[in-house]
Amino acid sequence: MRRGRYRLHDLVRSFALARLLDEEDPAERAAAQERLIVNYAELADSVLRLVDGNMSTRSDRFGSYGFTSLDEALRWLDDESSFITAALRHAEGVDQGAVLNLLGALCDYCLLRGDLYRLGEINELAQAVDEGLLVRSVQWRTGIAARQLGELDKARSTLTSVVDLYREAHHDAGAARALTSLGITLHHQGNLTEASARLREALDLQAAPELATDRAWTMHALAAVERDRARLGEALDLLTESLVLHRAGESVHGQAWAHFQLGQLYLRLGDVPRAESELRSALELYGRTRDGRGEAWALTQLARARLTDGDASRAVEELRAAAARHRDNEDARGEAWTLYYLGQALEETGDLDRAVRELERARTMFSRMRDVYGLACARHHSARVTRDQRAAQTGSLRNSGFARQLLVDARADFRRIGVAHGEAWTCLELAVVDAGNARTQQALALCDEAITLFVSYGDRRGEDWARFLRCTLLPYAAPGGVEVGTAVAQEELAQLSRAAHPARDEKLDDYVEAYQLLLERGVNLDAGWQAWRLGMVPSRNAREVMGVTAGSKA
């Protein structure tokens, strides 16, 4: 305990309670207990308002209560949280509004601190009281806690029932908050279409000016979904407006998450300096709110930025440190994504054996928590590295059966959840495997499918790679034979060369020029497809940046 505060022995507590019951009037005792809980509720609510801003979960009253800083306020709540929990155990006859405010603030504190054991205790208290609004409020938070632990099916089930309970009570603000949490959970499971629908439903319920800060949280959650659906322009607009609303509502925590999502968006656009700036802002704000879970996520993405910038060795060190932080926080999803990036960083350092091991660990974790999007991504990259590992051992792509099956499974996952970006790149990796095994017509068809997918969401970078690989295959797979195929390939390469644009992978221009020279010298069909042997295939980094326009702000 802190200086001046001591915890009494249980025997002393029992004796004191017995004397209290004998000597004090029950009505006076209940009034004193109510004053204590109301006081605690106002103080705790004030602390959490400093973190989350003007959320609809906070009461209408607001005051700083002498707190000179956010740090001091959080330190007070750290010291008092066990006493607050004890006070709630004796809340019989106390005004339910005060109890609700205190329970809500304490639940949010537990989520912020990752104290999920105490959140379970509070859930038991709420169930014992069996007051509708109390139960809904606490169940909503337990659904969020289940998501943080990677128990996504449990989180989805809990939050779906909470949405129904709020709707039955005609509590639109509560239903919207639960819909936002449900949308985030669906996103984490890879169900992007339904996640977007639930989040947009929440936004419709949050149109009122007094729910602006709630709306800001929903907007940055929706932006994350639309980013993964390759709608980067909409994602940027949502995050820009979200940040404005978080600042207006004085939500430090909300600003942290908006900066974090902006950092990931800029990584998708290949703008590393801007991404790092946003992520460092997020890290600083997470530190101010003492959100260890948020800090770990920011560290993961900062390490990913190092990888995107070509500093793989440093990325490996930082990702290992971030993975340890996620494990300490019991954040299975954070650990899985960190291991996924660690596998890619190890690949860049040339350590393919360890890269495969980390990617397989990530794949197992995603499978266990039923995150279809994460599972598809891990399958995709595990297949690539496994294929390259076998090719390095044998000198050819002939032993790529296992890798090919992983790619087929990844493609099916991406198609099922509607992620065209993932499916398109998986088609190209499958084309490389098929071409290396003399299945050039199948490989050509896969390139054509990839082109259609890249065009569907406007990814010119990916489309360039698909058209280039198509050109490398035409002499071997064109119906008119090698001469016709070579002529068509030369014409398409010339068109590709003339259609340069800022989003193009820098390596591709050199490859186009080199392959044009190779075609001029003539193609030897007996030598087989040459692009793999010459290294003219997409690298890991080619897939990581989207060639999508995100507006002038990007």
Side-chain angles (χ1 to χ4, degrees):
M1 307 311 298
R2 64 185 172 90
R3 188 174 62 186
R5 296 297 297 271
Y6 303 93
R7 188 187 298 281
L8 297 174
H9 191 281
D10 286 344
L11 288 174
V12 179
R13 282 173 177 271
S14 299
F15 174 75
L17 180 60
R19 293 296 303 274
L20 179 69
L21 293 174
D22 286 341
E23 297 177 2
E24 287 200 2
D25 177 68
E28 291 181 6
R29 189 169 62 249
Q33 188 71 15
E34 180 161 329
R35 286 194 299 273
L36 175 65
I37 285 179
V38 168
N39 194 344
Y40 266 143
E42 291 179 356
L43 283 162
D45 198 74
S46 178
V47 174
L48 269 298
R49 191 185 286 267
L50 290 172
V51 174
D52 287 333
N54 190 27
M55 290 283 290
S56 63
T57 48
R58 306 274 72 87
S59 69
D60 294 333
R61 297 178 300 278
F62 178 64
S64 63
Y65 290 93
F67 296 128
T68 58
S69 67
L70 175 58
D71 186 64
E72 182 191 352
L74 285 169
R75 194 160 51 243
W76 174 84
L77 195 49
D78 285 341
D79 292 338
E80 295 293 324
S81 58
S82 60
F83 296 109
I84 294 173
T85 307
L88 282 167
R89 293 189 182 281
H90 305 284
E92 298 87 355
V94 175
D95 175 65
Q96 291 299 292
V99 175
L100 176 63
N101 289 336
L102 185 53
L103 271 173
L106 193 57
C107 286
D108 289 341
Y109 166 82
C110 291
L111 289 173
L112 182 66
R113 282 286 179 271
D115 189 351
L116 304 185
Y117 174 78
R118 181 170 292 164
L119 186 61
E121 286 186 319
I122 297 168
N123 188 35
E124 291 176 6
L125 282 173
Q127 296 291 344
V129 172
D130 195 27
E131 186 75 25
L133 192 55
L134 290 179
V135 173
R136 291 193 294 272
S137 178
V138 177
Q139 278 187 345
W140 168 50
R141 271 93 170 191
T142 57
I144 295 171
R147 184 180 71 230
Q148 291 183 0
L149 289 169
E151 298 171 359
L152 299 182
D153 281 344
K154 179 180 177 181
R156 179 176 180 173
S157 173
T158 301
L159 292 167
T160 300
S161 67
V162 172
V163 169
D164 292 340
L165 289 171
Y166 273 119
R167 281 176 168 159
E168 288 170 9
H170 303 289
H171 193 302
D172 285 352
R177 291 194 304 269
L179 279 166
T180 296
S181 298
L182 177 60
I184 294 169
T185 304
L186 291 165
H187 179 203
H188 290 184
Q189 288 190 304
N191 193 342
L192 304 186
T193 303
E194 190 178 350
S196 178
R198 298 289 79 75
L199 290 166
R200 292 180 191 280
E201 196 175 340
L203 284 177
D204 289 341
L205 294 173
Q206 293 167 336
E210 60 270 21
L211 297 178
T213 306
D214 290 29
R215 183 176 177 83
W217 282 89
T218 306
M219 291 175 81
H220 76 237
L222 179 58
V225 175
E226 298 308 334
R227 178 199 66 227
D228 287 343
R229 298 175 80 194
R231 300 176 179 181
L232 303 192
E234 183 181 2
L236 181 60
D237 290 341
L238 284 165
L239 287 171
T240 302
E241 187 175 350
S242 168
L243 197 52
V244 170
L245 292 176
H246 279 310
R247 285 172 179 156
E250 299 180 327
S251 175
V252 177
H253 205 209
Q255 290 177 60
W257 282 105
H259 282 296
F260 174 77
Q261 298 294 356
L262 277 167
Q264 289 194 86
L265 176 64
Y266 286 127
L267 282 177
R268 270 296 187 203
L269 291 166
D271 190 341
V272 174
R274 211 158 174 184
E276 287 186 318
S277 174
E278 296 291 346
L279 291 167
R280 292 196 188 285
S281 295
L283 185 62
E284 188 268 331
L285 291 167
Y286 287 134
R288 284 176 57 191
T289 59
R290 299 191 188 179
D291 182 356
R293 180 173 161 272
E295 285 182 314
W297 275 99
L299 291 170
T300 290
Q301 294 300 321
L302 281 166
R304 178 187 168 199
R306 290 293 84 229
L307 176 60
T308 304
D309 206 37
D311 192 353
S313 296
R314 183 175 162 192
V316 167
E317 294 176 11
E318 294 182 4
L319 285 164
R320 283 181 174 143
R325 293 280 296 269
H326 287 297
R327 277 192 293 274
D328 290 343
N329 295 331
E330 298 184 79
D331 188 342
R333 184 169 175 271
E335 183 181 357
W337 278 107
T338 305
L339 293 176
Y340 166 78
Y341 294 124
L342 178 57
Q344 295 179 56
L346 288 166
E347 177 194 354
E348 292 296 309
T349 66
D351 192 344
L352 299 189
D353 290 345
R354 288 164 75 188
V356 169
R357 282 200 297 272
E358 298 299 346
L359 286 166
E360 285 300 296
R361 284 177 65 195
R363 182 163 74 99
T364 300
M365 293 184 76
F366 286 131
S367 178
R368 189 180 302 132
M369 70 181 78
R370 299 171 67 86
D371 179 348
V372 182
Y373 178 64
L375 179 60
C377 290
R379 278 174 167 161
H380 175 97
H381 283 289
S382 185
R384 286 182 45 263
V385 181
T386 300
R387 177 198 66 198
D388 295 352
Q389 187 183 38
R390 298 283 174 83
Q393 294 166 352
T394 64
S396 76
L397 291 167
R398 296 283 178 183
N399 295 301
S400 302
F402 177 66
R404 190 180 194 283
Q405 186 56 52
L406 282 176
L407 288 168
V408 168
D409 292 342
R411 183 188 180 189
D413 288 339
F414 282 129
R415 175 176 285 182
R416 186 165 76 252
I417 61 178
V419 179
H421 171 258
E423 185 183 355
W425 280 106
T426 306
C427 283
L428 290 190
E429 299 296 351
L430 277 168
V432 169
V433 172
D434 283 352
N437 283 273
R439 294 191 292 268
T440 51
Q441 289 187 338
Q442 293 94 318
L444 187 63
L446 284 163
C447 287
D448 289 339
E449 289 182 60
I451 290 170
T452 301
L453 287 164
F454 284 127
V455 170
S456 72
Y457 68 94
D459 188 343
R460 298 189 67 189
R461 180 186 177 95
E463 182 188 349
D464 285 350
W465 268 112
R467 292 193 183 281
F468 173 73
L469 287 179
R470 168 184 160 81
C471 291
T472 68
L473 288 161
L474 279 169
Y476 305 91
V482 63
E483 292 183 1
V484 172
T486 299
V488 174
Q490 286 176 318
E491 174 58 30
E492 291 190 10
L493 283 171
Q495 292 174 3
L496 193 58
S497 182
R498 290 193 296 268
H501 55 85
R504 175 168 291 176
D505 191 334
E506 294 176 357
K507 297 178 181 178
L508 200 60
D509 284 327
D510 293 336
Y511 291 171
V512 168
E513 186 178 342
Y515 212 81
Q516 283 175 319
L517 291 174
L518 188 147
L519 291 177
E520 287 174 10
R521 293 174 184 168
V523 174
N524 179 5
L525 291 179
D526 294 334
W529 183 60
Q530 297 296 299
W532 168 267
R533 185 179 62 81
L534 296 170
M536 295 182 181
V537 293
S539 65
R540 177 205 61 79
N541 189 54
R543 176 191 188 277
E544 295 309 298
V545 177
M546 288 186 187
V548 176
T549 301
S552 59
K553 296 172 188 173

